[in-house]
Amino acid sequence: MKKVNVVIDGKSINVPESYTVIMAAKELGIEIPAFCYEPSLEIVASCRICVVEIEGSRKLETACSTKVWEGMNVQTRSERVIKERRQILQLLLDNHPNDCLTCQKAGECLLQKYAYEYDVKFGDESSQVSLKIDKSNPYVYRDESKCILCGRCVRICAQIPERSVLCFANRGTEMKIAADYDKTMGSSSCVACQRCVSVCPVGALMDGRLMGRHRSWECEKEHIKCSVCQYGCDFELLKKGSRIVGVRSMAPGGGRPLCLKGRLTNELNYVDMSELAPVYMKKGEEYVQASWVEALALHRLINRIEKLEER
């Protein structure tokens, strides 16, 4: 593939012409902030926090969608760029609950990270944003008031055609993410795979069974591959000292779908017995607490093993 020479923040690099600015910057170790961009998802360039200044262009361009060209000269932190990013962050914070101290996502939230980096503070009205929490699905805790409408969850859910649970609903200031024509997560057709949770950049979607149990900075992380099926999805083990206290789904890629059975099996295999959270099964439109045997559908397997042992 043809390569082109690009200059980003004074640093030169030779990259394939299929690259976008954000990809070329990453090769140079330059981080460009992004909310809606995720390498495994289609590009929508909606959040505009990744804008950059390109020599010869009168307007700021989104780094996630702009392809590189020969001789391109890019500034990722010019005065104009920083001003634009600060305005976007201020708008987001003005419509966001001010509960960073107690939010489960603290320490891993991109909005928190960028607000700190660009010195943007909550306004006087931010703390008055009403919480809209949906706990109906124990595996997917949803706080609508923290959603920044980046659309990552919608796009990653749609990658599995038979799922496609999430979508955009309404328009203008009433726009939101809805599940199956505005059902709760528990009554919707969500299968609790946590694809959406794995890519959410803020605290709008989280693992409900890990809420309030551990903070991100308290735990070491170890990457593992699931061995339940041939896809080999990626998970993180959360460790406190010598104890494994939780398992988290990582963003899927390369056709890997993620599933509830895989995550629960890895929890049962790795997590310290004293740290295992309750498991649930969906019956009708509600989740009810269940045994591990029921949740993992092990009845038939256990019965056959017992019969084999009897023989």
Side-chain angles (χ1 to χ4, degrees):
M1 181 177 290
K2 181 181 176 182
K3 289 192 171 185
V4 295
N5 295 299
V6 180
V7 177
I8 303 177
D9 291 347
K11 298 179 180 179
S12 300
I13 190 170
N14 185 252
V15 295
E17 61 179 355
S18 62
Y19 269 36
T20 58
V21 173
I22 202 168
M23 294 166 67
K26 185 177 180 180
E27 294 282 318
L28 284 168
I30 297 171
E31 180 185 0
I32 296 177
F35 288 125
C36 68
Y37 174 74
E38 214 288 327
S40 65
L41 303 177
E42 64 176 304
I43 294 169
V44 294
S46 61
C47 73
R48 294 194 60 80
I49 196 71
C50 71
V51 290
V52 294
E53 192 165 5
I54 300 175
E55 187 176 51
S57 178
R58 289 188 299 175
K59 64 185 183 73
L60 298 179
E61 305 287 352
T62 49
C64 67
S65 62
T66 304
K67 294 285 184 71
V68 296
W69 64 75
E70 179 63 37
M72 174 186 270
N73 190 346
V74 182
Q75 291 293 323
T76 71
R77 294 187 65 86
S78 68
E79 184 177 336
R80 186 181 173 195
V81 165
I82 290 174
K83 181 180 178 181
E84 180 79 3
R85 289 180 184 164
R86 294 188 82 249
Q87 288 177 342
I88 293 169
L89 288 168
Q90 190 64 67
L91 285 171
L92 290 174
L93 288 185
D94 286 347
N95 290 279
H96 200 83
N98 184 359
D99 66 343
C100 290
L101 290 176
T102 55
C103 179
Q104 185 71 29
K105 194 77 172 186
E108 296 179 312
C109 173
L110 289 185
L111 180 56
Q112 182 188 57
K113 175 184 177 182
Y114 298 149
Y116 178 81
E117 182 179 340
Y118 289 90
D119 192 28
V120 180
K121 305 289 195 301
F122 279 105
D124 294 336
E125 302 298 321
S126 300
S127 60
Q128 298 177 25
V129 175
S130 60
L131 300 180
K132 303 174 184 177
I133 296 172
D134 177 5
K135 298 180 181 179
S136 60
N137 183 333
Y139 299 104
V140 182
Y141 176 98
R142 183 182 179 201
D143 186 345
E144 194 177 312
S145 64
K146 292 180 182 176
C147 179
I148 59 172
L149 298 173
C150 67
R152 285 191 188 188
C153 58
V154 174
R155 283 174 285 150
I156 202 163
C157 190
Q159 284 183 341
I160 308 294
E162 60 271 24
R163 297 182 188 175
S164 297
V165 178
L166 302 174
C167 66
F168 283 99
N170 304 333
R171 294 183 177 182
T173 57
E174 299 299 316
M175 182 177 285
K176 64 177 183 177
I177 304 298
D180 285 346
Y181 306 105
D182 217 12
K183 289 185 175 182
T184 64
M185 290 301 289
S187 62
S188 73
S189 58
C190 172
V191 295
C193 67
Q194 289 196 352
R195 291 173 70 85
C196 57
V197 174
S198 71
V199 296
C200 181
V202 291
L205 292 165
M206 291 180 282
D207 186 335
R209 293 165 65 249
L210 288 178
M211 294 292 294
R213 295 170 65 87
H214 316 289
R215 306 309 295 268
S216 65
W217 56 83
E218 296 177 325
C219 300
E220 295 180 18
K221 284 89 172 177
E222 179 185 336
H223 173 257
I224 62 167
K225 288 277 188 183
C226 182
S227 59
V228 171
C229 74
Q230 75 275 15
Y231 286 107
C233 294
D234 297 305
F235 289 89
E236 274 185 340
L237 299 182
L238 304 179
K239 295 182 174 182
K240 275 187 176 181
S242 60
R243 294 182 303 126
I244 297 174
V245 296
V247 174
R248 290 199 307 189
S249 304
M250 297 178 69
R256 294 189 290 275
L258 284 184
C259 70
L260 177 59
K261 183 177 181 180
R263 187 169 71 261
L264 292 183
T265 300
N266 281 294
E267 284 188 33
L268 198 56
N269 281 340
Y270 291 103
V271 175
D272 188 278
M273 296 292 285
S274 64
E275 295 287 346
L276 281 172
V279 290
Y280 302 83
M281 288 181 66
K282 192 171 184 179
K283 294 187 178 180
E285 290 195 344
E286 295 184 351
Y287 280 87
V288 296
Q289 191 167 335
S291 69
W292 284 88
V293 172
E294 290 175 310
L296 292 172
L298 298 175
H299 299 85
R300 178 176 168 79
L301 186 61
I302 290 173
N303 288 337
R304 288 180 65 82
I305 290 173
E306 288 175 347
K307 288 179 180 179
L308 281 172
E309 289 178 345
E310 288 174 4
R311 291 173 59 184

